[in-house]
Amino acid sequence: MFKATEIQQPHSSLERNGFFALAGLLSCTALTFASTFKFGWVYDDVPQIPQNQNLLWSRLGFLLTHHLWASATGPGGRFYRPLLTLWFLINKSIFGLNPHGFHVTTVLAHVTAAGLAFFVARTLLKDTGAALFATAIFALHPLQAESASWISSVNDSLAAALCFASFLMYRKARGKQYRPSGWWMLAGAFFLLALLTKEVSIVLPGIILVDLWSDPVDDSQPGSSPRPPLLAAILTYVPVAVIWLLLRSWVLSRSTTSSSSVPSSGYLLSVPKIVLFNFYRMVLPIHLSPHYDFRLVESPASAQFLLPLVALAGVASLAILAARRNPRLLVAFAWIIMPMLPTLNLRWMNQDDFIHDRYLYMSILGAALLAGSGYAWLRKNWPRQQIVRPFAAAVVVVLAFASAIQSQYWANDLILFTRAVTMAPNNEWAQLNYGSALSSRGRYREAGPHFVRSYELKTGWMAADFAGFAYQQSGDLLEAERWFATALQLDPGLANAWFGLAQIRLTQHRPEEAVSYLKKSLEIAPAAPGYHYEMGTALEQWGQKPGAIEEYKKELQLHPDQATGRKAFEQLQRLGPIER
């Protein structure tokens, strides 16, 4: 299919028409996601960009030698993606903290990846029309809406673009080039940049090996590379991968890593279910959500293990039969399967948060290549060839509308997580994030039950702590105290929970207990904003004015812009001499 489907056209006409068609397709892609230009910060955007105190050129060394979440409290060091942080820094230098500019470049990154996907498809399919259809599938598939609409997910587009560029350089190098070393160097350089953008790029050498195996180079032809392409590929990609692994290990070894407590049995038994669900969304991208209801498979006798396993066996059988007829289809299968493999390492995922649309960003290229191959075969072999193009155009239009609609859910946190709890009401992260979105808008009374529901679905300190805060802000102090106490039972090192209990005691005019709680919170977070001020308030309420003044002073030393603390300090000083 990949080789025998080339449709003969005058070369110059094909190139000219193909260029204009590609330009039009990429313009349509940009227009599909243009509504995102007016969106704001969503989800992880806030801690990674506007709240990231290290996102400065003066801190470039820090950014390049620390894990992705080193500037935020909480997340462990699992990801080393310095080029993503550098991308944010460049955007911040151009747009400041205006999210609209970031959204423009996020869409442009997706458009760039789509443009390079076209050249990959044309290289493999040998048919410009088929490559254009494949590119349209890749660019406008609704699963891509998450990466095209969410600033923090731009690394999917960037990593894919760099992988596609490396693949194209490899294809150049393996051809009949007089001096291929330059192409191999470019292939290795793009591969390294891709690895520094997102870890999934590590699968690219595997895809290249499949490409070499399914389409071997005839080394006997005049002008072919003096070094066998397989050896050249190994010498190019293996050293780069080793360098990256060593660098990543060094960076992550200096931070606290965290991983999901997924049992090995649950991991192995759940893989067929995850893969089948990924295939389902690729073929039928409906009811998409930022979170999905998904639970690990616990028993090999469970229908949730056996049925997906049987279904995957059927899919694999069909794939093997197709590959026997045309070995070049193996490259498309490799583009589908291999980028999924890193996402199946469930131990590195958040608990019960194993599936996201963005994880399939590169895999969509493989599905697009299959679609493009089928398009070319139909145009050549189907008796009613005249309806193939209109049908393909209709598919593209439907995908574009679906993607435009799907992107609207990323307008803000409230819309996004309203969608999440609607589609996945039994996902604890959906409930937690929806509660957080409500809290950020001051709707604490509505937020509390969602935090409680999150805790019921999966016991965790975060849901309990957030529930305590929501109930405290809504005035239900009894519930607030109960949930803060629950959070501290799970993790006694939660400064926020101790602080919340102290505030409740102050409201109840019990300053002695408040001071006790505040001492614990200050032991954990001595420089946290507001903590010394609250200690000063508690001491003042208790009648210990000298201690109160000292605490107000500490607050102002740590946070000079704390207007409330300055006012309290000055007011206490105006009361006159203080007895000691």
Side-chain angles (χ1 to χ4, degrees):
M1 256 179 228
F2 276 63
K3 279 187 170 181
T5 54
E6 183 172 6
I7 297 175
Q8 300 297 322
Q9 299 179 26
H11 184 73
S12 60
S13 174
L14 180 146
E15 291 295 331
R16 183 172 60 254
N17 293 339
F19 172 78
F20 286 119
L22 176 62
L25 175 58
L26 297 181
S27 298
C28 289
T29 302
L31 288 173
T32 297
F33 297 106
S35 62
T36 67
F37 296 169
K38 66 180 185 296
F39 292 176
W41 307 115
V42 177
Y43 203 9
D44 290 344
D45 294 344
V46 176
Q48 289 202 49
I49 303 171
Q51 290 182 356
N52 189 346
Q53 300 300 315
N54 291 306
L55 201 61
L56 303 167
W57 286 107
S58 61
R59 300 287 291 166
L60 182 60
F62 175 90
L63 297 174
L64 296 180
T65 56
H66 286 76
H67 66 86
L68 180 64
W69 289 99
S71 300
T73 57
R78 289 178 287 174
F79 307 118
Y80 177 56
R81 300 171 181 175
L83 288 193
L84 174 62
T85 310
L86 181 60
W87 171 270
F88 291 151
L89 180 56
I90 293 171
N91 276 262
K92 181 182 176 182
S93 300
I94 298 172
F95 306 113
L97 291 178
N98 183 346
H100 307 321
F102 283 77
H103 277 291
V104 171
T105 57
T106 298
V107 172
L108 290 179
H110 175 60
V111 170
T112 301
L116 289 168
F118 166 78
F119 292 104
V120 172
R122 191 175 64 169
T123 298
L124 296 173
L125 298 174
K126 312 293 185 183
D127 181 335
T128 299
L132 284 168
F133 182 60
T135 303
I137 299 293
F138 175 83
L140 298 172
H141 197 287
L143 285 178
Q144 309 292 52
E146 182 167 337
S147 297
S149 308
W150 182 25
I151 294 169
S152 291
S153 190
V154 68
N155 56 341
D156 294 293
S157 303
L158 295 174
L162 292 166
C163 284
F164 297 164
S166 180
F167 185 86
L168 290 168
M169 295 304 99
Y170 137 75
R171 291 288 299 197
K172 285 282 188 180
R174 62 167 274 179
K176 298 175 183 179
Q177 302 293 331
Y178 175 62
R179 291 182 177 177
S181 58
W183 295 110
W184 283 117
M185 290 178 63
L186 284 173
F190 281 121
F191 179 50
L192 178 60
L193 293 175
L195 289 170
L196 295 173
T197 304
K198 192 168 184 181
E199 294 80 359
V200 68
S201 306
I202 194 65
V203 305
L204 179 62
I207 296 171
I208 287 172
L209 289 177
V210 172
D211 184 65
L212 281 168
W213 182 77
S214 62
D215 185 22
V217 177
D218 185 357
D219 297 329
S220 64
Q221 293 294 328
S224 62
S225 172
R227 177 177 291 169
L230 177 59
L231 177 61
I234 292 173
L235 293 176
T236 297
Y237 285 93
V238 171
V240 171
V242 170
I243 291 171
W244 171 75
L245 286 170
L246 292 174
L247 178 60
R248 182 178 184 273
S249 297
W250 173 72
V251 169
L252 298 187
S253 67
R254 299 179 300 146
S255 63
T256 302
T257 59
S258 61
S259 60
S260 174
S261 57
V262 178
S264 298
S265 59
Y267 161 71
L268 294 174
L269 294 174
S270 300
V271 166
K273 181 180 175 181
I274 294 173
V275 173
L276 188 64
F277 188 52
N278 287 340
F279 287 165
Y280 164 76
R281 299 199 328 281
M282 292 171 69
V283 175
L284 195 63
I286 60 175
H287 305 306
L288 303 181
S289 169
H291 296 293
Y292 294 96
D293 281 338
F294 185 90
R295 288 294 179 268
L296 294 176
V297 178
E298 299 179 352
S299 170
S302 168
Q304 291 194 8
F305 172 71
L306 295 175
L307 292 180
L309 189 63
V310 171
L312 285 181
V315 172
S317 299
L318 292 175
I320 291 171
L321 289 174
R324 284 180 176 176
R325 294 173 59 89
N326 182 5
R328 294 297 292 137
L329 289 177
L330 289 171
V331 183
F333 297 148
W335 276 110
I336 292 175
I337 296 298
M338 289 193 178
M340 286 188 196
L341 298 180
T343 70
L344 299 179
N345 183 7
L346 305 188
R347 292 183 180 275
W348 291 100
M349 305 294 181
N350 290 326
Q351 188 75 39
D352 298 326
D353 194 33
F354 308 128
I355 299 173
H356 289 287
D357 295 347
R358 62 184 181 275
Y359 293 168
L360 299 179
Y361 188 89
M362 270 203 285
S363 293
I364 295 297
L365 176 64
L369 290 172
L370 291 179
S373 181
Y375 170 88
W377 185 88
L378 288 173
R379 285 189 58 198
K380 184 178 181 181
N381 298 290
W382 202 31
R384 303 183 65 181
Q385 297 179 10
Q386 66 275 14
I387 70 170
V388 174
R389 283 186 175 178
F391 176 76
V395 169
V396 171
V397 170
V398 169
L399 291 178
F401 273 105
S403 292
I405 293 170
Q406 187 64 31
S407 68
Q408 300 309 300
Y409 294 117
W410 292 87
N412 59 59
D413 281 341
L414 189 60
I415 295 173
L416 181 64
F417 295 115
T418 298
R419 172 71 172 181
V421 295
T422 301
M423 302 307 302
N426 295 319
N427 183 291
E428 64 267 26
W429 292 98
Q431 296 288 348
L432 184 77
N433 287 323
Y434 183 53
S436 298
L438 291 169
S439 291
S440 67
R441 287 159 176 78
R443 296 164 61 177
Y444 300 108
R445 193 173 299 278
E446 299 172 64
H450 290 283
F451 292 133
V452 172
R453 179 57 181 156
S454 177
Y455 181 86
E456 292 171 347
L457 289 166
K458 192 72 175 184
T459 301
W461 66 264
M462 190 179 298
D465 187 31
F466 288 7
F469 180 78
Y471 283 115
Q472 179 190 5
Q473 296 302 311
S474 64
D476 191 342
L477 299 187
L478 289 177
E479 278 295 292
E481 183 174 352
R482 182 168 76 87
W483 283 106
F484 279 137
T486 301
L488 290 169
Q489 287 176 356
L490 297 170
D491 185 355
L494 293 176
N496 284 340
W498 290 115
F499 185 70
L501 288 176
Q503 289 182 313
I504 292 172
R505 291 295 180 261
L506 282 175
T507 303
Q508 296 169 339
H509 301 288
R510 295 157 65 181
E512 300 94 333
E513 295 178 51
V515 168
S516 174
Y517 291 142
L518 285 166
K519 285 180 179 178
K520 293 180 179 179
S521 64
L522 283 167
E523 288 174 3
I524 301 166
Y531 282 24
H532 285 286
Y533 166 76
E534 209 70 19
M535 177 65 87
T537 302
L539 290 171
E540 184 178 358
Q541 191 179 112
W542 198 4
Q544 298 185 19
K545 294 181 181 178
I549 286 181
E550 289 303 314
E551 292 299 325
Y552 290 145
K553 282 183 179 179
K554 290 179 183 178
E555 181 71 28
L556 293 174
Q557 288 171 356
L558 292 169
H559 310 284
D561 297 331
Q562 228 267 35
T564 308
R566 184 171 299 281
K567 182 179 179 180
F569 173 70
E570 293 173 350
Q571 183 176 2
L572 197 57
Q573 279 193 320
R574 285 198 298 269
L575 294 178
I578 300 171
E579 296 182 3
R580 296 185 181 272

